[in-house]
Amino acid sequence: GFAGGGCGGVLTLYEKLDDAPYFRKGKSFTIYEHPSRITNITITPLEESLICSLETNQMFILPLAQADILKTEEMNFEHMYQPFHAGPVTGMDTCIRKPLLATCSMDMSVRIWNIKDMGCELTKYFQDECYSVSMHPSGLHVLVGFADKLR
């Protein structure tokens, strides 16, 4: 068979029929956190994983070892590498008492980075674009500024 990707982060697997030169639509999977167009798809040489990239320059991996027996909602895409913002960063703040950095972006996400470990600790997506972010000195609270409100 083969795999096809489209808009909204939807990936569909197609299966070859036994006695016909046709293919049947199999399972479809969605990258829920990133509803953007899939631009590239490849399958590892041993066919154990499928790797895809999105128009936002994010890369995801989907294990195929048990794709036949698992339900569609049980199949989860994982970031291939460290996830980054897909749009321009509009706000940034640091925590005084912990090695944390908060960033917000036009991609409608806020990310909390651990400066010491150089990794992303938490990512939260919103329905609106984020314009500013501020961290409480304890690092336990984050205030995000939108066009019409603060959350």
Side-chain angles (χ1 to χ4, degrees):
F2 65 95
C7 294
V10 177
L11 178 93
T12 304
L13 301 178
Y14 293 87
E15 303 165 350
K16 181 154 178 36
L17 298 175
D18 292 333
D19 299 333
Y22 304 108
F23 290 87
R24 177 182 66 204
K25 180 181 174 186
K27 293 184 178 185
S28 290
F29 308 100
T30 303
I31 304 173
Y32 292 106
E33 293 94 24
H34 296 273
S36 57
R37 187 171 58 93
I38 295 175
T39 56
N40 299 294
I41 300 171
T42 189
I43 296 178
T44 57
L46 298 177
E47 298 183 357
E48 71 271 2
S49 299
L50 180 139
I51 301 168
C52 64
S53 65
L54 306 180
E55 65 184 347
T56 59
N57 299 323
Q58 304 286 330
M59 292 179 64
F60 290 89
I61 187 165
L62 177 69
L64 294 175
Q66 300 176 353
D68 295 336
I69 59 173
L70 289 177
K71 296 177 182 175
T72 302
E73 59 272 2
E74 293 174 346
M75 296 295 288
N76 294 320
F77 285 89
E78 296 178 16
H79 271 280
M80 182 81 178
Y81 298 106
Q82 184 70 40
F84 300 107
H85 286 291
V89 174
T90 56
M92 184 168 35
D93 192 23
T94 57
C95 177
I96 294 172
R97 296 183 185 149
K98 295 181 182 177
L100 298 176
L101 170 76
T103 58
C104 64
S105 172
M106 296 297 280
D107 67 359
M108 299 185 239
S109 72
V110 172
R111 296 174 191 271
I112 307 297
W113 305 88
N114 187 320
I115 299 169
K116 190 175 185 180
D117 297 338
M118 302 299 286
C120 184
E121 296 284 327
L122 179 69
T123 302
K124 172 73 175 167
Y125 285 90
F126 296 94
Q127 298 295 322
D128 301 318
E129 293 174 343
C130 309
Y131 293 106
S132 62
V133 64
S134 180
M135 291 190 81
H136 189 274
S138 69
L140 300 176
H141 304 283
V142 176
L143 183 68
V144 182
F146 299 93
D148 61 341
K149 62 185 169 248
L150 295 172
R151 264 197 222 167

